[in-house]
Amino acid sequence: MKARVHVMLKDGVLDPQGEAVRHALGHLGFSGVEAVRQGKVIELDLAATDKAAAEVEVKAMCEKLLANTVIEKYTIEIA
């Protein structure tokens, strides 16, 4: 199975990388961009064959390592 985890900063947490991208886009002529939030995508190849068990396992990975749950939120896709 494959899992994809999307990690983003929570609303209200400053995103200096996103702001730098928004500023750079403005300098490149893309003046209509009002805000940018930057995150990360983590893809995992899993040995699990049960989708529910895989989701529980990936959630544990996120809580322990993949996301800083104090300032980040995450979503999980299992395929």
Side-chain angles (χ1 to χ4, degrees):
M1 296 195 125
K2 291 197 180 273
R4 182 174 288 147
V5 179
H6 296 264
V7 181
M8 295 289 294
L9 288 171
K10 290 181 177 179
D11 294 337
V13 176
L14 294 177
D15 185 352
Q17 284 184 302
E19 183 58 24
V21 170
R22 186 198 62 77
H23 186 71
L25 288 170
H27 281 300
L28 292 171
F30 300 101
S31 60
V33 179
E34 295 179 355
V36 175
R37 302 290 285 177
Q38 186 166 327
K40 58 188 171 186
V41 176
I42 302 163
E43 292 186 351
L44 304 162
D45 288 326
L46 305 171
T49 56
D50 178 53
K51 187 175 181 177
E55 189 164 356
V56 168
E57 185 177 36
V58 173
K59 183 176 182 188
M61 292 176 194
C62 291
E63 295 289 325
K64 292 180 179 181
L65 177 68
L66 301 179
N68 177 351
T69 57
V70 174
I71 61 169
E72 294 175 321
K73 58 186 176 182
Y74 63 89
T75 58
I76 299 169
E77 298 172 22
I78 305 288

